[in-house]
C-alpha cells in the first residue's frame, strides 16, 4: 500500500511539472534536499538550497518550453524512513524555437518520512546538449549559461 501511495505522488509531481507548476516538485522537497542533474551545461550541477532548486526549475521551463513528461515506470523500494524511487520517463519539449524534441531519462529519488531528500536526474545528455546548442544559436543566450549551483 505504501509503495502505491509513493508511486501516485511521484506521478502527480511529473504531471504538475508538465503543467508548468514548479510547486508540484518544490512542495515535496525537504528543506535540505539535494538536486543533481548530470552533465556540463546550463542545466547541470548540484543544488542544495530551496532557492537554487526553484531557480533551476524556472530555467528548465524557460529553456524547454512546453516540456511534457510521460512516465513509463515508477519503481519504489524501502520503507518510510528510507524510500528509493526510480522514475523512468520520456519528455518532449519545444525549446524556445518551437522545434519539438524528445529524450528519455531516469530520476533517482530518495524519500525520508514523506519528504524528498535527494533527486538525481539522468537524461539523454547528448539530446539535451543538441537542443541547448540549437536554441542558443537562435538567440536564447541562457541555454549556454553557467549551471545554477549551490
Amino acid at each position: 500500500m505504501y509503495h502505491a501511495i509513493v508511486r501516485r505522488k511521484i506521478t502527480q509531481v511529473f504531471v504538475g511539472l508538465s503543467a508548468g507548476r514548479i510547486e508540484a516538485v518544490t512542495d515535496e522537497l525537504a528543506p535540505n534536499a539535494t538536486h543533481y542533474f548530470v552533465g556540463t551545461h546550463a542545466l547541470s550541477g548540484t543544488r542544495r538550497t530551496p532557492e537554487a532548486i526553484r531557480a533551476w526549475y524556472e530555467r528548465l521551463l524557460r529553456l524547454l518550453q512546453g516540456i511534457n513528461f510521460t512516465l513509463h515506470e515508477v519503481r519504489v523500494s524501502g520503507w518510510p524512513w528510507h524510500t528509493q524511487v526510480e522514475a523512468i520517463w520520456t519528455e518532449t519539449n519545444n525549446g524556445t524555437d518551437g522545434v519539438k524534441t524528445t529524450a528519455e531519462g531516469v530520476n533517482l529519488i530518495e524519500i525520508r518520512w514523506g519528504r524528498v531528500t535527494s533527486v538525481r536526474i539522468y537524461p539523454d545528455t547528448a539530446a539535451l546538449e543538441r537542443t541547448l546548442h540549437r536554441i542558443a544559436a537562435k538567440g536564447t543566450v541562457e541555454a549556454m549559461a553557467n549551471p545554477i549551483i549551490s
Side-chain angles (χ1 to χ4, degrees):
M1 180 64 132
Y2 170 70
H3 290 178
I5 293 168
V6 172
R7 270 192 293 281
R8 186 170 45 250
K9 286 198 65 90
I10 295 297
T11 300
Q12 290 169 346
V13 167
F14 278 90
V15 167
L17 185 57
S18 294
R21 291 186 297 102
I22 295 170
E23 295 77 20
V25 176
T26 57
D27 285 355
E28 299 301 324
L29 299 174
N32 62 342
T34 299
H35 184 274
Y36 170 79
F37 196 100
V38 69
T40 54
H41 47 74
L43 293 173
S44 67
T46 302
R47 287 143 296 282
R48 293 181 177 87
T49 67
E51 298 79 17
I53 294 170
R54 179 169 188 79
W56 184 89
Y57 279 102
E58 290 168 350
R59 177 179 281 179
L60 174 74
L61 295 179
R62 281 193 304 273
L63 294 177
L64 304 182
Q65 294 179 2
I67 195 166
N68 186 58
F69 290 91
T70 301
L71 278 176
H72 302 292
E73 194 168 349
V74 178
R75 300 175 186 160
V76 181
S77 61
W79 299 103
W81 53 90
H82 188 211
T83 308
Q84 296 178 323
V85 178
E86 300 168 44
I88 302 165
W89 47 263
T90 299
E91 66 89 7
T92 58
N93 71 78
N94 297 316
T96 56
D97 59 0
V99 176
K100 186 174 182 176
T101 60
T102 300
E104 296 178 341
V106 63
N107 284 22
L108 302 178
I109 303 161
E110 291 184 12
I111 303 170
R112 294 185 187 270
W113 298 113
R115 303 297 287 183
V116 173
T117 58
S118 174
V119 176
R120 293 175 294 178
I121 306 170
Y122 299 95
D124 178 342
T125 54
L128 175 61
E129 288 178 5
R130 282 192 302 272
T131 297
L132 293 174
H133 285 285
R134 187 190 75 239
I135 65 176
K138 293 184 178 180
T140 304
V141 177
E142 187 177 21
M144 293 292 111
N146 289 329
I148 297 168
I149 58 173
S150 63

